[in-house]
Amino acid sequence: MVRFIDYRYVRLLSCMLAFGSFGLHVNAQSTYQPYSYHFYQKLNSELYHLDTRYHTAVKPMIIDNTLRLRYDSLMQIGVRERSSWWGRKLYNEHLVDIKKDDHTFYADFLPDFQIGRDFAGDGRTTWLNTRGAQAGLTVGDRFSLYVNIFENQAMFPGYLDDYITRTTVTPGQGYGKTVSETGKKDWMYTTANVSYTVNDYLNVTLAYDKNFIGDGYRSMLLSDVSSNYTALKLTGKIGNVQYLSMWAYMLDPMHPRSSDYWVRLGDNWKWGAFQYLDWNVNNRLSVGLFQSVVWGARNAAGRRGFDFNYLNPIIVLRPVELTNTSSPDKIHLGLNTKYKVLKNMAVYGQFLLGEFTASEFFGGEGHVNNKWGAQLGFRGYDAFGIKNLNFLGEFNTARPYTYTHFDPVSNYSNYGEALAHPWGANFREFVGILNYSYKRFDFSFQGTWGQFGTDPDSITNYGKDIFKPYDTHLRVYGNYIGQGIKNNLLYADGRVSYLLNPKYNLRVEAGGVYRRHSVPEQGKHHQTGMLTLGLRASFRNFYYDF
């Protein structure tokens, strides 16, 4: 069945590429830029300026002529004429850098070497040993290919070590295994992205990658928290309207394939269909509508493959399923908005609806079927008139049992991690981030404080764990955010880096992390206080603030 579906994807992609031969000509080269919050915030002065009208919610972005000037300036930070080959490769260029009239190619070695010490926790020495490589190809002004691969070993701080040991998942990077009694972890990580710009109105992308929808640090709709997954994306743009339709194939290690005999059959799989319609009403206001459908490869009736009914890319495809408690699939509807209140600042928000019963939603009695998440934030650039001082403030919350399903195979997750917020559900959170760049130096500070409710045992379900079926809830009425055993989490992260080569973000970086997780009812708390130093490269987003 999987092989059959893959061929269908290939045929669909081939049809789209063939169709593109009749399209309009694109004048500027398109470049894939992996999503990293700390790099993308450097585009704020273009993306969120009052005089521009960009579609800012869908990431990663294909850098085209609209952002080319700002992007190229970031790729030239600190670059100057150098006579030696070593000097050019270390500071100015890709390791392999070929530029011809009809194509370009680059390749790099990507180190990520860090060493640190946890002074507030168990006193362990932490380290990361990552050897990676990337390559990128463009042909003409329409086609681009990007791949990377990383081989990793690490000793993580205690709370991350416990998480990886328990779940066998390295956050955002797939399968992670413990390879020694000391707790050393070992894993691999790869990304691949093929993009074809058919014409001025359509881009087709086939990728093993992550996706993000929103204008904040978090996304309550679709985030890059989980590991990579395979997806086919069609992104169309006409005038002030952008439309994304995506079909995804994801893995589910939480429900492995079974056999009557002891045979290693690998992880189970699941499918997802996602649509997002974004309308730039004017230079200030943007409104976006979101829909997702997730279904497992099996249910009570047996095995399922890809449901071709979901190839229909129409937004709000089957909203009737929101009130159909016997549906085997999980649908979410969402709203994403942005408003530029000042020349250098925008407010943004999201609202996700997992289930809706009007009388209970407005009744205020905490009905279990009131499953929703919300976000409200602001972000901007050049704060207090200081050039390149970017800022963000954000509040996120989700009611108990949001993102869950009566069949946990169809919950809102990929590879054992949430597809939205890393805390799952039943939480409230505040995030503040400052970034400042001066020549080759980058400074960043992030502070997070939140509360969430956990379960006292594996049987009880207060609604935070999205991998438990929601029909095991404790009560129908009286549910509230933070119910269960109350947890408080404080997380602070500060970094200073010196950029060596902007082409692949090679830098020397020093950082500090403080994390305090407390459970007042039980008189428990755990602290992590780390200092780190490393030589790092690449543009990647990983979330360790949970």
Side-chain angles (χ1 to χ4, degrees), residues 420-534:
H421 197 287
W423 293 8
N426 193 25
F427 70 87
R428 57 176 62 89
E429 174 201 40
F430 296 89
V431 180
I433 303 177
L434 286 175
N435 297 90
Y436 177 62
S437 298
Y438 178 75
K439 296 183 179 179
R440 289 179 180 267
F441 286 96
D442 284 329
F443 304 86
S444 70
F445 175 79
Q446 174 188 339
T448 299
W449 180 86
Q451 287 185 335
F452 51 88
T454 55
D455 303 326
D457 51 59
S458 60
I459 299 175
T460 308
N461 184 6
Y462 278 108
K464 180 185 187 298
D465 187 349
I466 67 174
F467 295 95
K468 290 183 177 180
Y470 68 64
D471 54 10
T472 60
H473 56 263
L474 294 181
R475 50 183 175 259
V476 176
Y477 290 95
N479 296 282
Y480 59 92
I481 295 173
Q483 67 182 13
I485 299 177
K486 182 180 293 185
N487 291 247
N488 297 322
L489 181 64
L490 174 65
Y491 184 92
D493 182 329
R495 305 179 200 175
V496 57
S497 63
Y498 183 78
L499 186 65
L500 299 175
N501 191 319
K503 298 299 190 299
Y504 53 101
N505 202 23
L506 179 66
R507 64 201 186 275
V508 178
E509 182 179 279
V513 172
Y514 178 76
R515 178 184 183 271
R516 180 183 174 89
H517 176 205
S518 60
V519 187
E521 297 176 21
Q522 300 177 351
K524 297 179 180 179
H525 73 271
H526 178 272
Q527 293 188 101
T528 299
M530 289 179 48
L531 294 177
T532 61
L533 179 66

Side-chain angles (χ1 to χ4, degrees), residues 9 39 69 157 169 181 221 252 293 297 308 341 390-391 458 468-469:
Y9 275 169
F39 178 79
L69 186 62
V169 175
E181 293 181 357
L221 306 182
D252 181 12
V293 185
F308 284 93
V341 294
N390 296 331
F391 57 92
S458 60
K468 290 183 177 180

Side-chain angles (χ1 to χ4, degrees), residues 288-512:
L289 299 177
F290 171 80
Q291 175 187 260
S292 69
V293 185
V294 176
W295 66 100
R298 65 170 175 84
N299 57 28
R303 292 286 175 180
R304 292 183 68 193
F306 183 82
D307 189 336
F308 284 93
N309 290 313
Y310 294 134
L311 278 178
N312 189 335
I314 299 173
I315 197 73
V316 193
L317 186 62
R318 290 166 63 189
V320 68
E321 291 201 8
L322 285 171
T323 55
N324 181 1
T325 58
S326 64
S327 170
D329 304 335
K330 183 60 180 174
I331 281 190
H332 289 103
L333 297 180
L335 175 69
N336 184 81
T337 62
K338 173 190 68 184
Y339 186 79
K340 300 176 186 176
V341 294
L342 300 172
K343 183 175 70 174
N344 66 332
M345 187 177 80
V347 296
Y348 59 88
Q350 291 184 337
F351 184 78
L352 176 126
L353 192 60
E355 193 163 347
F356 179 72
T357 304
S359 60
E360 304 296 352
F361 185 85
F362 297 105
E365 298 183 14
H367 196 277
V368 67
N369 287 344
N370 288 342
K371 303 185 185 78
W372 55 262
Q375 177 186 87
L376 182 63
F378 62 90
R379 67 181 300 165
Y381 61 94
D382 296 352
F384 311 112
I386 303 174
K387 187 174 178 59
N388 296 325
L389 177 57
N390 296 331
F391 57 92
L392 177 145
E394 185 174 291
F395 170 72
N396 301 294
T397 188
R399 279 189 55 80
Y401 311 105
T402 305
Y403 306 111
T404 62
H405 197 43
F406 65 80
D407 182 356
V409 176
S410 298
N411 75 339
Y412 204 56
S413 71
N414 164 58
Y415 208 83
E417 297 174 283
L419 277 170
H421 197 287
W423 293 8
N426 193 25
F427 70 87
R428 57 176 62 89
E429 174 201 40
F430 296 89
V431 180
I433 303 177
L434 286 175
N435 297 90
Y436 177 62
S437 298
Y438 178 75
K439 296 183 179 179
R440 289 179 180 267
F441 286 96
D442 284 329
F443 304 86
S444 70
F445 175 79
Q446 174 188 339
T448 299
W449 180 86
Q451 287 185 335
F452 51 88
T454 55
D455 303 326
D457 51 59
S458 60
I459 299 175
T460 308
N461 184 6
Y462 278 108
K464 180 185 187 298
D465 187 349
I466 67 174
F467 295 95
K468 290 183 177 180
Y470 68 64
D471 54 10
T472 60
H473 56 263
L474 294 181
R475 50 183 175 259
V476 176
Y477 290 95
N479 296 282
Y480 59 92
I481 295 173
Q483 67 182 13
I485 299 177
K486 182 180 293 185
N487 291 247
N488 297 322
L489 181 64
L490 174 65
Y491 184 92
D493 182 329
R495 305 179 200 175
V496 57
S497 63
Y498 183 78
L499 186 65
L500 299 175
N501 191 319
K503 298 299 190 299
Y504 53 101
N505 202 23
L506 179 66
R507 64 201 186 275
V508 178
E509 182 179 279

